[in-house]
Every structure is written in C-alpha cells, then in structure tokens.
Amino acid sequence: MERWATFDCYGTLVDWNAGIRGVVGDELLDRYHELEPEIERERPAASYREVMAEALRRLGLPEPDALGDSLPRWPVFPEVRAALAEARGRGWKLAILSNTDRDLLDASLRAIAVPFDETVVASELGSYKPAHGHWQEFFRRTGADRAGHVHVAQSHFHDVVPATELGLRTVWINRLGERREPRPTRELRDLSGLADTLDELVPA
C-alpha cells in the first residue's frame, strides 16, 4: 500500500502570516483572516489572486494586487525542507491541497525545493477549503487508499475540520498554540519530527 501525506501549503510549509503582514501590517492581519474565507465562500470560482485583491479592497488598501505580487517571495519555514525530505526518504508520497492558483503554488514549490507527487489547487476546482473538493479530487486523481493517507496542516478551520469530517487521520501543525475542537489525530508545533509521527500513524 502506498503511503500518502497531503499538506496545506500556506501557513503549514510557507509563512503566510509573515507574507500577509508585510502587506497589511499587524493591525489589519486578523481582519484579513476574517475576510478571506468570507470571499472564498461568496466567490468559489474566483482565482486566489482575485480573492486576495478583494480582501485588500475591503480593507481599504490602495494596491489590491500587492499580496498576489508578493506571494512568490513568502518565506518557507526553516524546518520544512528537511522534514519533507525525510518523509520522502522513508517512502511517503507527498501532495499539496491548496487554496491558491497554479502559478502561485509553482513559485512556492520552487522555493520549497522538495518534489511533490501531486498538487491540487482551488482555482482549478472552483472550490475552496473547508469544502471537501480538494480531497475528493486528490482521491480521484491518485486512487490513494484512505488507510494509507494522513493530512497535515496548520489551519484548523480550513483543513483539520473538513479532513476530520471525511474520517481522515490529521496532523495539526499548531504553530500558534491554539486550542480548537475537534481534536486532530496528532498535534505538532512545527514539522520537526513529522516523519516519525507519520510512520507511527501508518507504519511501513
């Protein structure tokens, strides 16, 4: 049986708070995080660039393309490359399920510099997480056995909740020290030690 680890990208592998904060500032960061899922629910067929631009317009900021233009430069968390490479070395296949556009994710994948076996992006589905479309498309493309699958993500709202609804194992990368329900299958502060956790959940 193939073992698959699927990941959210922004917040999990790439520091989206740092990227967004660089455009909106500390004072508007929380409000941005409220607006983005509202817009994704209202306009599921919109590209992620369009979602970000609309959020900046609603915040009253003068350059609505600023986030889309800056995203390819958002930093990768320091432990990510080694953690992903170790998981691959242990035989895990890796996929990304992301609320973004293909060109933006491709830029981030170049920065991450670890190969992924599959990528599913919102703008090609007309669906944004926490809707279930990303997982449905992932299983359609790969035929992955759910018994060998683990979903890894920082966002409880976008990822842990829907993956739990689908009956999947989850690893919550709780970088912000939050307390949320439902509880994930496992919880880590960052990706350090991820390969051991994955192997515990689905032994080789």
Side-chain angles (χ1 to χ4, degrees):
M1 177 180 65
E2 290 182 334
R3 299 188 298 166
W4 279 92
T6 55
F7 295 82
D8 178 51
C9 185
Y10 300 103
T12 305
L13 308 178
V14 172
D15 191 344
W16 78 324
N17 274 335
I20 295 168
R21 185 182 290 112
V23 173
V24 307
D26 285 326
E27 65 280 2
L28 293 177
L29 184 62
D30 288 345
R31 180 58 181 148
Y32 177 88
H33 285 313
E34 293 171 356
L35 283 170
E36 185 181 286
E38 289 177 10
I39 297 164
E40 290 168 349
R41 284 193 299 271
E42 293 167 7
R43 300 171 56 187
S47 72
Y48 190 52
R49 280 184 182 274
E50 291 169 339
V51 169
M52 291 188 292
E54 178 61 21
L56 294 187
R57 289 188 190 97
R58 295 186 189 185
L59 290 172
L61 296 179
E63 298 181 16
D65 295 329
L67 281 174
D69 291 343
S70 71
L71 188 149
R73 301 187 297 278
W74 291 1
V76 178
F77 287 109
E79 82 285 359
V80 162
R81 294 184 186 93
L84 294 176
E86 183 175 5
R88 282 192 69 87
R90 296 190 189 188
W92 284 86
K93 302 192 79 170
L94 309 181
I96 286 183
L97 314 181
S98 182
N99 278 358
T100 191
D101 302 338
R102 176 64 58 188
D103 63 317
L104 297 177
L105 182 61
D106 285 348
S108 295
L109 288 175
R110 288 191 291 272
I112 293 168
V114 176
F116 280 79
D117 301 285
E118 185 59 79
T119 55
V120 180
V121 297
S123 62
E124 295 174 355
L125 296 178
S127 174
Y128 282 91
K129 297 179 294 181
H132 294 174
H134 283 74
W135 288 275
Q136 293 165 346
E137 179 66 10
F138 164 74
F139 286 116
R140 187 191 69 78
R141 291 185 191 179
T142 65
D145 187 334
R146 291 181 180 224
H149 173 247
V150 180
H151 187 62
V152 183
Q154 180 272 328
S155 176
H156 190 273
F157 170 78
H158 290 96
D159 289 88
V160 174
V161 170
T164 301
E165 291 170 349
L166 289 165
L168 302 174
R169 297 179 185 86
T170 58
V171 178
W172 185 20
I173 307 301
N174 188 4
R175 295 185 182 276
L176 304 178
E178 299 171 293
R179 296 180 64 84
R180 299 285 183 89
E181 295 292 338
R183 303 302 300 165
T185 314
R186 296 289 185 274
E187 181 176 326
L188 300 173
R189 190 58 187 263
D190 60 26
L191 267 70
S192 302
L194 176 67
D196 289 339
T197 301
L198 292 174
D199 283 351
E200 175 196 352
L201 293 173
V202 186

